[in-house]
Coordinates of all heavy atoms in Angstrom, one line a residue:
F997 N 106.2 105.9 90.7 CA 105.5 107.2 90.7 C 106.0 107.9 91.9 O 106.7 107.4 92.8 CB 104.0 107.1 90.6 CG 103.3 106.7 91.8 CD1 102.8 107.6 92.7 CD2 103.0 105.3 92.1 CE1 102.1 107.3 93.8 CE2 102.3 105.0 93.3 CZ 101.9 106.0 94.1
K998 N 105.6 109.2 92.0 CA 106.0 110.0 93.1 C 104.7 110.5 93.9 O 103.7 110.7 93.3 CB 106.7 111.3 92.7 CG 108.0 111.0 92.0 CD 108.7 112.2 91.6 CE 110.0 111.9 90.8 NZ 110.7 113.1 90.3
L999 N 104.8 110.5 95.2 CA 103.7 111.0 96.0 C 104.3 112.2 96.8 O 105.1 112.1 97.7 CB 103.3 109.9 97.0 CG 102.2 110.3 98.0 CD1 101.0 110.7 97.3 CD2 102.0 109.1 99.0
L1000 N 103.8 113.4 96.4 CA 104.2 114.6 97.1 C 103.3 115.0 98.2 O 102.0 115.0 98.0 CB 104.3 115.8 96.1 CG 105.3 115.7 95.0 CD1 105.2 116.9 94.1 CD2 106.7 115.5 95.5
L1001 N 103.8 115.1 99.4 CA 102.9 115.4 100.6 C 103.4 116.8 101.1 O 104.3 116.9 101.9 CB 103.1 114.3 101.6 CG 102.7 112.9 101.1 CD1 103.1 111.9 102.1 CD2 101.2 112.9 100.8
L1002 N 102.7 117.8 100.6 CA 103.1 119.2 101.0 C 102.7 119.6 102.3 O 101.6 119.2 102.8 CB 102.6 120.2 99.9 CG 102.9 119.8 98.5 CD1 102.2 120.8 97.5 CD2 104.4 119.7 98.2
E1003 N 103.5 120.4 103.0 CA 103.2 121.0 104.3 C 103.0 120.0 105.4 O 102.2 120.2 106.3 CB 102.1 122.0 104.2 CG 102.3 123.2 103.2 CD 101.2 124.1 103.1 OE1 100.3 124.1 103.9 OE2 101.2 124.8 102.1
T1004 N 103.7 118.9 105.3 CA 103.6 117.8 106.3 C 104.2 118.3 107.6 O 105.3 118.7 107.7 CB 104.3 116.5 105.9 OG1 103.8 116.1 104.6 CG2 104.2 115.4 106.9
P1005 N 103.4 118.3 108.7 CA 103.9 118.7 110.0 C 105.1 117.8 110.5 O 105.0 116.6 110.4 CB 102.7 118.6 111.0 CG 101.5 118.6 110.1 CD 102.0 117.9 108.8
P1006 N 106.2 118.4 111.0 CA 107.2 117.6 111.6 C 106.7 116.7 112.6 O 105.8 117.0 113.4 CB 108.2 118.6 112.1 CG 107.9 119.9 111.4 CD 106.5 119.8 111.1
G1007 N 107.3 115.5 112.7 CA 106.8 114.5 113.7 C 105.7 113.5 113.2 O 105.4 112.5 113.8
T1008 N 105.1 113.9 112.0 CA 104.1 113.0 111.4 C 104.7 111.7 110.9 O 105.8 111.7 110.4 CB 103.4 113.7 110.2 OG1 102.8 114.9 110.7 CG2 102.4 112.9 109.6
R1009 N 104.1 110.6 111.2 CA 104.6 109.3 110.7 C 103.8 109.0 109.4 O 102.5 109.0 109.4 CB 104.4 108.2 111.7 CG 105.4 108.4 112.8 CD 105.5 107.2 113.8 NE 104.4 106.3 113.6 CZ 103.8 105.6 114.6 NH1 104.2 105.9 115.8 NH2 102.9 104.8 114.4
I1010 N 104.5 108.6 108.4 CA 103.9 108.2 107.1 C 104.3 106.8 106.8 O 105.5 106.5 106.9 CB 104.4 109.1 105.9 CG1 104.2 110.6 106.2 CG2 103.8 108.7 104.6 CD1 102.8 111.1 106.1
S1011 N 103.3 106.0 106.5 CA 103.6 104.6 106.2 C 103.1 104.3 104.8 O 101.9 104.7 104.5 CB 103.0 103.6 107.1 OG 103.5 103.8 108.4
L1012 N 103.8 103.7 103.9 CA 103.4 103.4 102.6 C 103.7 101.9 102.4 O 104.9 101.5 102.4 CB 104.1 104.2 101.5 CG 103.6 104.0 100.1 CD1 102.1 104.5 100.0 CD2 104.5 104.8 99.1
D1013 N 102.7 101.1 102.4 CA 102.8 99.6 102.4 C 103.6 99.2 103.6 O 103.2 99.4 104.7 CB 103.4 99.1 101.0 CG 102.5 99.5 99.8 OD1 101.3 99.5 100.0 OD2 103.1 99.7 98.7
F1014 N 104.8 98.7 103.4 CA 105.6 98.2 104.5 C 106.7 99.1 105.0 O 107.6 98.8 105.8 CB 106.2 96.8 104.2 CG 105.2 95.8 104.0 CD1 104.9 95.3 102.7 CD2 104.4 95.3 105.0 CE1 103.9 94.4 102.5 CE2 103.4 94.3 104.8 CZ 103.2 93.8 103.5
Y1015 N 106.8 100.3 104.4 CA 107.8 101.3 104.7 C 107.2 102.4 105.6 O 106.1 102.8 105.4 CB 108.4 101.9 103.5 CG 109.0 100.8 102.6 CD1 108.3 100.3 101.5 CD2 110.3 100.4 102.8 CE1 108.9 99.3 100.7 CE2 110.9 99.4 102.0 CZ 110.2 98.9 101.0 OH 110.7 97.9 100.2
E1016 N 108.1 102.9 106.5 CA 107.6 104.0 107.4 C 108.6 105.1 107.5 O 109.8 104.8 107.6 CB 107.2 103.4 108.7 CG 106.7 104.5 109.7 CD 106.2 103.9 111.0 OE1 105.2 103.1 111.0 OE2 106.8 104.2 112.0
W1017 N 108.2 106.3 107.6 CA 109.1 107.5 107.8 C 108.5 108.4 108.9 O 107.3 108.5 109.0 CB 109.2 108.3 106.5 CG 109.7 107.6 105.4 CD1 111.0 107.5 105.0 CD2 109.0 106.9 104.4 NE1 111.1 106.8 103.8 CE2 109.9 106.3 103.5 CE3 107.6 106.6 104.2 CZ2 109.5 105.6 102.4 CZ3 107.2 105.8 103.2 CH2 108.2 105.3 102.2
T1018 N 109.3 108.9 109.7 CA 109.0 110.0 110.6 C 109.4 111.3 110.0 O 110.6 111.5 109.7 CB 109.6 109.8 112.0 OG1 109.1 108.6 112.6 CG2 109.2 111.0 113.0
C1019 N 108.5 112.2 109.7 CA 108.8 113.4 108.9 C 109.5 114.5 109.7 O 109.2 114.7 110.8 CB 107.5 113.9 108.3 SG 106.6 112.7 107.3
G1020 N 110.5 115.1 109.0 CA 111.2 116.2 109.6 C 110.7 117.5 108.8 O 109.7 117.4 108.1
E1021 N 111.4 118.6 109.1 CA 111.0 119.9 108.5 C 111.0 119.8 107.0 O 110.2 120.5 106.3 CB 111.9 121.0 108.9 CG 111.7 121.4 110.4 CD 112.7 122.5 110.7 OE1 113.0 123.4 109.8 OE2 113.1 122.5 111.9
H1022 N 111.9 119.1 106.4 CA 112.1 119.1 104.9 C 111.5 118.0 104.2 O 111.7 117.8 103.0 CB 113.6 119.2 104.6 CG 114.3 120.3 105.3 ND1 114.0 121.6 104.9 CD2 115.1 120.4 106.3 CE1 114.7 122.5 105.7 NE2 115.4 121.7 106.6
F1023 N 110.7 117.2 104.8 CA 110.0 116.0 104.2 C 109.0 116.5 103.1 O 108.2 117.4 103.4 CB 109.2 115.2 105.2 CG 108.6 114.0 104.6 CD1 109.3 112.8 104.3 CD2 107.2 114.0 104.2 CE1 108.7 111.7 103.8 CE2 106.6 112.9 103.7 CZ 107.4 111.7 103.4
M1024 N 109.2 116.0 101.9 CA 108.3 116.5 100.8 C 107.5 115.3 100.2 O 106.6 115.6 99.4 CB 109.1 117.1 99.7 CG 109.8 118.4 100.1 SD 108.6 119.7 100.4 CE 108.0 120.0 98.8
G1025 N 107.8 114.1 100.5 CA 107.1 113.0 99.9 C 107.9 111.8 99.7 O 109.0 111.6 100.2
V1026 N 107.4 110.9 98.8 CA 108.1 109.6 98.5 C 108.2 109.5 97.0 O 107.3 109.8 96.3 CB 107.2 108.4 99.1 CG1 107.9 107.1 98.8 CG2 106.9 108.7 100.5
R1027 N 109.4 109.0 96.6 CA 109.6 108.8 95.1 C 110.0 107.3 94.9 O 110.2 106.5 95.8 CB 110.7 109.7 94.6 CG 112.1 109.4 95.2 CD 113.1 110.3 94.7 NE 114.4 109.9 95.3 CZ 115.5 110.5 95.2 NH1 115.5 111.5 94.3 NH2 116.6 110.1 95.8
S1028 N 110.0 106.9 93.6 CA 110.4 105.6 93.2 C 109.4 104.5 93.7 O 109.8 103.4 94.1 CB 111.8 105.3 93.6 OG 112.7 106.2 93.0
V1029 N 108.1 104.8 93.8 CA 107.1 103.9 94.3 C 106.6 103.2 93.0 O 106.2 103.8 92.0 CB 106.0 104.6 95.0 CG1 104.9 103.6 95.4 CG2 106.5 105.3 96.2
P1030 N 106.6 101.8 93.0 CA 106.1 101.1 91.8 C 104.6 101.4 91.6 O 103.9 101.7 92.5 CB 106.4 99.6 92.1 CG 106.6 99.6 93.6 CD 107.0 100.9 94.0
G1031 N 104.2 101.3 90.4 CA 102.8 101.5 90.0 C 101.9 100.5 90.7 O 102.3 99.4 91.1
G1032 N 100.6 100.8 90.8 CA 99.6 99.9 91.4 C 98.9 100.6 92.6 O 99.0 101.7 92.9
A1033 N 98.2 99.7 93.4 CA 97.5 100.2 94.6 C 98.5 100.2 95.8 O 99.2 99.2 96.0 CB 96.3 99.4 94.8
H1034 N 98.4 101.2 96.6 CA 99.3 101.3 97.8 C 98.5 101.8 99.0 O 97.7 102.7 98.8 CB 100.5 102.2 97.6 CG 101.3 101.7 96.4 ND1 102.3 100.7 96.6 CD2 101.4 102.1 95.1 CE1 102.9 100.5 95.5 NE2 102.4 101.3 94.5
L1035 N 98.7 101.2 100.1 CA 98.1 101.7 101.3 C 99.0 102.7 102.0 O 100.1 102.5 102.3 CB 97.8 100.5 102.3 CG 97.2 100.9 103.7 CD1 95.8 101.5 103.4 CD2 97.1 99.7 104.6
C1036 N 98.4 103.9 102.3 CA 99.2 105.0 102.9 C 98.5 105.3 104.3 O 97.3 105.5 104.3 CB 99.2 106.2 102.1 SG 100.2 107.5 102.7
V1037 N 99.3 105.2 105.3 CA 98.8 105.5 106.7 C 99.5 106.8 107.2 O 100.7 106.8 107.2 CB 99.0 104.3 107.6 CG1 98.5 104.6 109.0 CG2 98.4 103.1 107.1
V1038 N 98.7 107.7 107.7 CA 99.2 109.0 108.2 C 98.9 109.0 109.7 O 97.7 109.0 110.0 CB 98.7 110.2 107.4 CG1 99.2 111.5 108.0 CG2 98.9 110.1 105.9
S1039 N 99.9 109.1 110.5 CA 99.7 109.2 111.9 C 100.2 110.5 112.4 O 101.4 110.8 112.3 CB 100.4 108.1 112.7 OG 99.9 106.8 112.2
Q1040 N 99.3 111.3 113.0 CA 99.7 112.6 113.6 C 99.4 112.6 115.1 O 98.5 111.9 115.5 CB 98.8 113.7 113.0 CG 99.5 114.8 112.2 CD 100.2 115.8 113.1 OE1 99.8 116.0 114.3 NE2 101.3 116.3 112.6
V1041 N 100.2 113.2 115.9 CA 100.1 113.2 117.3 C 98.7 113.7 117.7 O 98.0 113.1 118.6 CB 101.2 114.0 118.0 CG1 101.0 114.1 119.5 CG2 102.6 113.4 117.7
S1042 N 98.2 114.8 117.1 CA 97.0 115.4 117.5 C 95.7 114.8 116.8 O 94.6 115.3 117.1 CB 97.0 116.9 117.3 OG 97.2 117.2 115.9
A1043 N 95.9 113.9 115.8 CA 94.8 113.5 115.0 C 94.9 111.9 114.9 O 96.0 111.4 114.9 CB 94.9 114.1 113.6
P1044 N 93.7 111.3 114.7 CA 93.8 109.9 114.4 C 94.4 109.6 113.1 O 94.6 110.4 112.2 CB 92.3 109.5 114.4 CG 91.6 110.8 114.1 CD 92.4 111.9 114.7
S1045 N 94.8 108.3 112.9 CA 95.4 107.9 111.6 C 94.4 108.0 110.5 O 93.2 107.9 110.7 CB 95.9 106.4 111.7 OG 96.9 106.3 112.7
V1046 N 94.9 108.4 109.3 CA 94.1 108.5 108.1 C 94.6 107.5 107.1 O 95.8 107.4 106.9 CB 94.3 110.0 107.5 CG1 93.5 110.1 106.2 CG2 93.9 111.0 108.5
F1047 N 93.7 106.7 106.6 CA 94.0 105.7 105.7 C 93.5 106.0 104.3 O 92.3 106.4 104.2 CB 93.4 104.3 106.1 CG 93.9 103.9 107.5 CD1 93.2 104.3 108.6 CD2 95.0 103.0 107.6 CE1 93.6 103.9 109.9 CE2 95.4 102.6 108.8 CZ 94.7 103.1 110.0
W1048 N 94.3 105.8 103.3 CA 93.8 106.0 101.9 C 94.6 105.2 100.9 O 95.8 104.9 101.2 CB 93.7 107.4 101.5 CG 94.8 108.4 101.9 CD1 94.9 109.0 103.1 CD2 95.8 108.9 101.1 NE1 96.0 109.8 103.2 CE2 96.6 109.8 101.9 CE3 96.2 108.8 99.8 CZ2 97.7 110.5 101.5 CZ3 97.3 109.5 99.3 CH2 98.0 110.3 100.2
L1049 N 94.0 104.8 99.8 CA 94.7 104.1 98.8 C 95.2 105.0 97.7 O 94.4 105.9 97.3 CB 93.8 103.0 98.2 CG 93.6 101.8 99.1 CD1 92.5 100.9 98.5 CD2 94.9 101.0 99.4
V1050 N 96.4 104.8 97.2 CA 96.9 105.6 96.1 C 96.9 104.7 94.9 O 97.5 103.6 94.9 CB 98.3 106.1 96.4 CG1 98.8 106.9 95.2 CG2 98.3 107.0 97.6
F1051 N 96.3 105.0 93.8 CA 96.3 104.2 92.6 C 97.1 105.0 91.5 O 96.9 106.2 91.3 CB 94.9 104.0 92.0 CG 94.0 103.2 93.0 CD1 93.2 103.8 93.9 CD2 94.1 101.8 93.0 CE1 92.4 103.0 94.8 CE2 93.4 101.0 93.8 CZ 92.5 101.6 94.7
D1052 N 97.9 104.3 90.8 CA 98.7 104.9 89.7 C 98.0 104.6 88.4 O 98.0 103.5 87.9 CB 100.1 104.3 89.7 CG 101.0 104.9 88.7 OD1 100.5 105.7 87.9 OD2 102.2 104.5 88.6
K1053 N 97.4 105.6 87.9 CA 96.6 105.5 86.6 C 97.2 106.5 85.6 O 96.6 107.5 85.4 CB 95.1 105.7 86.8 CG 94.4 104.6 87.6 CD 93.0 104.9 87.7 CE 92.3 103.8 88.5 NZ 90.8 104.1 88.6
A1054 N 98.3 106.1 85.0 CA 99.0 107.0 84.0 C 99.3 108.4 84.5 O 99.5 109.3 83.8 CB 98.1 107.1 82.8
C1055 N 99.3 108.5 85.9 CA 99.7 109.8 86.4 C 101.0 109.6 87.3 O 100.9 108.9 88.3 CB 98.6 110.3 87.3 SG 99.0 111.9 88.1
P1056 N 102.1 110.0 86.8 CA 103.4 109.7 87.5 C 103.6 110.4 88.9 O 104.4 110.0 89.7 CB 104.4 110.1 86.5 CG 103.8 111.2 85.7 CD 102.3 110.8 85.6
V1057 N 102.8 111.5 89.1 CA 102.9 112.3 90.3 C 101.6 112.5 91.0 O 100.7 113.0 90.3 CB 103.6 113.6 90.1 CG1 103.8 114.4 91.4 CG2 105.0 113.4 89.4
H1058 N 101.4 112.2 92.2 CA 100.2 112.5 93.0 C 100.6 113.5 94.0 O 101.6 113.4 94.7 CB 99.6 111.3 93.7 CG 99.1 110.2 92.7 ND1 97.9 110.3 92.2 CD2 99.8 109.2 92.1 CE1 97.7 109.2 91.3 NE2 98.9 108.6 91.2
V1059 N 99.8 114.6 94.2 CA 100.1 115.7 95.1 C 99.0 115.9 96.1 O 97.8 115.9 95.7 CB 100.3 117.0 94.3 CG1 100.7 118.1 95.3 CG2 101.3 116.9 93.2
R1060 N 99.3 115.9 97.4 CA 98.4 116.2 98.5 C 99.0 117.2 99.4 O 100.2 117.4 99.5 CB 98.2 114.9 99.3 CG 97.7 113.7 98.5 CD 96.3 113.9 98.0 NE 95.7 112.7 97.4 CZ 95.9 112.3 96.1 NH1 96.5 113.1 95.3 NH2 95.3 111.3 95.7
R1061 N 98.1 118.0 100.0 CA 98.6 119.1 100.9 C 97.9 118.9 102.3 O 96.8 118.6 102.4 CB 98.3 120.5 100.4 CG 98.6 121.6 101.4 CD 98.4 123.0 100.9 NE 99.4 123.2 99.8 CZ 99.1 123.9 98.7 NH1 97.9 124.4 98.5 NH2 100.1 124.1 97.8
W1062 N 98.7 119.0 103.3 CA 98.2 118.9 104.7 C 97.2 120.0 105.0 O 97.6 121.2 104.8 CB 99.3 118.9 105.7 CG 98.8 118.6 107.1 CD1 98.7 119.6 108.1 CD2 98.4 117.4 107.7 NE1 98.2 119.0 109.2 CE2 98.0 117.7 109.0 CE3 98.3 116.1 107.2 CZ2 97.6 116.7 109.9 CZ3 97.8 115.1 108.1 CH2 97.5 115.4 109.4
S1063 N 96.0 119.7 105.5 CA 95.1 120.7 105.9 C 95.1 120.9 107.4 O 94.8 119.9 108.1 CB 93.7 120.3 105.4 OG 92.7 121.1 106.0
R1064 N 95.5 122.1 107.9 CA 95.5 122.3 109.3 C 94.1 122.3 109.9 O 93.9 121.9 111.1 CB 96.2 123.6 109.6 CG 97.7 123.6 109.3 CD 98.3 124.9 109.7 NE 99.7 124.8 109.4 CZ 100.3 125.4 108.4 NH1 99.6 126.0 107.5 NH2 101.6 125.2 108.2
E1065 N 93.1 122.6 109.1 CA 91.7 122.7 109.6 C 91.1 121.3 109.8 O 90.5 121.0 110.9 CB 90.8 123.4 108.6 CG 91.1 124.9 108.4 CD 92.3 125.1 107.5 OE1 92.5 124.4 106.5 OE2 93.0 126.1 107.7
T1066 N 91.3 120.4 108.9 CA 90.8 119.0 109.0 C 91.8 118.0 109.5 O 91.4 116.9 109.7 CB 90.2 118.6 107.6 OG1 91.3 118.5 106.7 CG2 89.1 119.5 107.2
E1067 N 93.1 118.4 109.6 CA 94.2 117.5 110.0 C 94.2 116.2 109.2 O 94.2 115.1 109.7 CB 94.1 117.2 111.5 CG 94.3 118.5 112.4 CD 94.4 118.2 113.8 OE1 93.8 117.2 114.3 OE2 95.1 118.9 114.5
E1068 N 94.2 116.4 107.9 CA 94.4 115.3 106.9 C 95.0 115.9 105.6 O 95.0 117.1 105.4 CB 93.1 114.6 106.7 CG 92.1 115.5 105.9 CD 90.7 114.9 105.7 OE1 90.6 113.6 105.8 OE2 89.8 115.6 105.3
F1069 N 95.5 115.0 104.8 CA 96.0 115.3 103.5 C 94.8 115.5 102.5 O 93.9 114.6 102.5 CB 97.0 114.3 102.9 CG 98.3 114.5 103.5 CD1 98.8 113.6 104.5 CD2 99.2 115.5 103.2 CE1 100.0 113.7 105.1 CE2 100.4 115.6 103.7 CZ 100.8 114.7 104.7
V1070 N 94.7 116.6 101.8 CA 93.7 116.8 100.8 C 94.3 116.8 99.4 O 95.4 117.3 99.2 CB 92.8 118.0 101.1 CG1 92.1 117.9 102.4 CG2 93.7 119.3 101.2
Q1071 N 93.6 116.4 98.4 CA 94.0 116.4 97.1 C 93.9 117.8 96.6 O 92.9 118.5 96.8 CB 93.2 115.5 96.2 CG 93.7 115.4 94.8 CD 93.1 114.3 94.0 OE1 92.3 113.6 94.5 NE2 93.4 114.3 92.7
L1072 N 94.9 118.3 95.9 CA 94.8 119.7 95.3 C 94.0 119.7 94.0 O 94.0 118.7 93.3 CB 96.2 120.2 95.0 CG 97.2 120.3 96.2 CD1 98.5 120.8 95.7 CD2 96.6 121.3 97.2
P1073 N 93.3 120.8 93.8 CA 92.6 120.9 92.5 C 93.6 120.8 91.4 O 94.8 121.1 91.5 CB 92.0 122.3 92.5 CG 91.9 122.6 94.0 CD 93.1 121.9 94.6
V1074 N 93.2 120.3 90.2 CA 94.2 120.0 89.1 C 95.0 121.2 88.8 O 96.2 121.1 88.5 CB 93.4 119.5 87.9 CG1 94.3 119.3 86.7 CG2 92.7 118.2 88.2
A1075 N 94.4 122.4 88.8 CA 95.2 123.6 88.4 C 96.3 123.9 89.4 O 97.3 124.5 89.0 CB 94.2 124.8 88.5
E1076 N 96.2 123.5 90.7 CA 97.3 123.7 91.6 C 98.4 122.7 91.5 O 99.5 122.9 92.0 CB 96.7 123.8 93.0 CG 95.9 125.0 93.4 CD 95.5 125.0 94.8 OE1 96.4 124.9 95.7 OE2 94.3 125.1 95.1
E1077 N 98.1 121.5 91.0 CA 99.1 120.4 91.0 C 100.2 120.9 90.0 O 101.3 120.6 90.1 CB 98.5 119.1 90.5 CG 97.7 118.5 91.6 CD 97.3 117.1 91.2 OE1 97.8 116.5 90.3 OE2 96.3 116.6 91.9

């Protein structure tokens, strides 16, 4: 499945299971992730790490957008996905 992480601030570190990326300006997410439960860790310089599980339930794409107000990824309403 695909995990789209929109508006990720540059320098953010994203970990998914045992893989880690430091995001640049053009980072949009992760693709080719096998189905099932996955631990995602988001580390921002100005905010504590955020932990959440992603479950693949017949939905091939999960979309989250970075919230500058709360400094975390929030799920978009279904109409925006």
Side-chain angles (χ1 to χ4, degrees):
F997 78 92
K998 295 178 184 177
L999 176 61
L1000 296 179
L1001 301 171
L1002 307 177
E1003 299 178 18
T1004 304
T1008 300
R1009 287 191 349 220
I1010 305 288
S1011 299
L1012 187 64
D1013 298 329
F1014 297 107
Y1015 300 96
E1016 182 174 295
W1017 300 269
T1018 299
C1019 303
E1021 288 182 34
H1022 303 290
F1023 181 83
M1024 293 293 293
V1026 183
R1027 64 180 180 182
S1028 301
V1029 179
H1034 299 280
L1035 177 63
C1036 185
V1037 179
V1038 180
S1039 301
Q1040 241 286 331
V1041 174
S1042 64
S1045 296
V1046 178
F1047 300 88
W1048 38 283
L1049 288 173
V1050 177
F1051 296 96
D1052 182 354
K1053 292 184 178 179
C1055 180
V1057 180
H1058 294 273
V1059 182
R1060 304 290 187 271
R1061 176 177 288 141
W1062 182 257
S1063 168
R1064 291 184 179 103
E1065 294 81 31
T1066 61
E1067 295 189 329
E1068 66 181 345
F1069 282 103
V1070 293
Q1071 184 171 356
L1072 297 180
V1074 174
E1076 289 187 51
E1077 284 188 19

